[in-house]
Amino acid sequence: MMMKKKPLYYFFPALVLFQCLSFYSQAQSSSLQLWYNKPAVKWTEALPIGNGRLGAMIFGGVEEDRVQYNEETLWTGEPRNYNRPNAHQYLDSIRQLLFNGQQKEAELLAGEKFMGLKSHEGQRATWLSSILSLKGVKGNPALEDYDDSQWKLMDVPSYEGWEAIGFDGLDGAVWLRTSFDLPADWSNKNLILDLNRIRDQDFTYVNGKQVGGMESTEPRKYRIAKDILHPGKNSIAILVLNFDNKGGITGYKDSSRKIGIYPEGEEGKNIISIHRSWKYWIQDDNPPPIGKYQADYQPFGDLWLKFTHQDPVTNYRRELDLSTALSSVSYSVNSIQYKREYLASQPKQVIAVHLTASKPGAISFETSLSSPHKNYSLKKTGPSTLVLSLAVRNGALRGISYLHVTINKGTISATNEKIIVRNADEATVYVTAGTNFRNYKDISADPAATGIKTLKALSGKSYESIRREHIKEYTNYFNTLSIDLGQSTNESLPTDERITRFASTNDPSFVALYLQYGRYLLIASSRPGTRPANLQGIWNDLLAPPWGSKYTTNINAEMNYWPAELLNLSAMHEPLFTMINELSITGRETAKAYYGAPGWVLHHNTDLWRGTAPINASNHGIWVTGGAWLCEHLWEHYLFTQDKVFLENRAYPIMKQ
């Protein structure tokens, strides 16, 4: 079976460690910390916190701190029918083709008549016509002498799409321009323009003449006739059309291979590299929606904290304490010790950042919210509160966040863009998030209601009381298992250095830390009453995440829950059981439509809307045992708990169907 990208936490088989486990009531906090001596640069270096519904990634910057946060129900799509009516009419024909050894014919028939229904398609032909007619463009960007002096710069190529270099969410029609100098000894030669892959479609011009264009992910090697070239500088202009997911000139996965230009017939001998910053201009960033089999999990927003320190920073430390589910950043500036503490409270349903300093009046900063979703809005609702509103593009879900700040002494004020704190002794920043999702069939909820309720509950509460309540609730789950595999001299090293040394040194306590980190992440992404952990848990910063960050039910969704019973986190299984029950309902319609059968069926993926039909392609998407695999978790829960009421009333009826 092909393994997909592993979730943020990839749980290793823990049976080999079972003899080392002991259950007790107090966690060993001294060996349960991940820590670093520098801020995170990439999203994958940030530290995760979560309360099951809300998740955040802590970067821990000094001058500017980013807290990227999510809410579990913000997805693309909407409630809809995923099932192709009467698909079962073609089942016998597909089977007969397979029995006859006609694999290709069977796959073609299944692809046309047996896959699930996609979401609504937009009018691509109409949109493309307007783009090619240069609607909204002054002049013609394909021409050699076009004035692009006011255009911005983009690094080209990017194998993971332009999303990976700061253009997340960019879809549509984008012009890219650069140039090259023609060597004198190439003046009478035809050339090859090697761009390799472009996502999704291109129209490519040299000196105003079109030399190629394709709509596919196939490599582009376009012939440039010698009669359109001239001595000196020659222009390249490419109109890139991207409809969804990765976009732009992606080039080669092997970064040592350059996109560029070489004489025809001389591949690999001489190449003028065009790896560089290109000029770009967005003609239209609102392409028609494309049909999708299932929805994608979405990021919600970013909390920004901006500081101004006049002197060098020393003693920097960024950490995550698994024993308390508290993350923190601490450092010194001019003999003042600063600390920021982060938590995701389940009792109060809020993300909180608490700022303190060793000197009175030393806390000054500005804070704001932003979102990767286009056309989000931000406005103040009081001297210490901002509200962010967003809508998912081509979807039905809306989201609202509140940013609220409390301080001890000092001053606080707000504009429609930010909240400003000056000379406080301490401050606490609160972030809420909610959507209009009620359940997989109902999107009538008020997205502001959660935030309003949360802020009301926080009124008059001290951060210390919120912190105590948070730790008590979290440790009720976490302090059910300890593991001691021995000590290591590497325990005093930052976590990234321990990872580097792990292959060549003896570090048994790091194995124990790794196991506890997996438990921590399951608790943080799957509390009772929430949705289950998706492909990346609850943490995602991309509008088009890998595999949609949904539920891959041919292994990944189950892998997330392998530790639940074995590592004494049985309560964390509850969200998965709720989803299984919902899938057994939607899966009945799929079983009837596709197989003319009673009971229920689930194929290899599902999403927030509990789609159960085959998706993607017929050569792998018609995989009928997702439901059976999920039922293993119902049975495991019974084996560990011996809960016969659960077996009789919940598990067995679903398993039987």
Side-chain angles (χ1 to χ4, degrees), residues 19 112 134 234 254 272 351 379 388 446 486 592 615:
Q19 297 178 66
E112 181 181 355
L134 299 180
N234 293 259
D254 178 0
I272 297 175
I351 295 168
K379 66 177 181 179
L388 178 144
D446 178 2
K592 181 178 179 181
I615 70 167

Side-chain angles (χ1 to χ4, degrees), residues 607-629:
D607 58 11
L608 181 72
W609 313 108
R610 304 307 184 237
T612 53
I615 70 167
N616 295 347
S618 60
N619 64 358
H620 68 273
I622 309 173
W623 185 85
V624 298
T625 52
W629 199 328

Side-chain angles (χ1 to χ4, degrees), residues 297 401 404 420 524 556 609:
Y297 180 51
S401 272
H404 180 68
I420 303 122
N556 294 107
W609 313 108

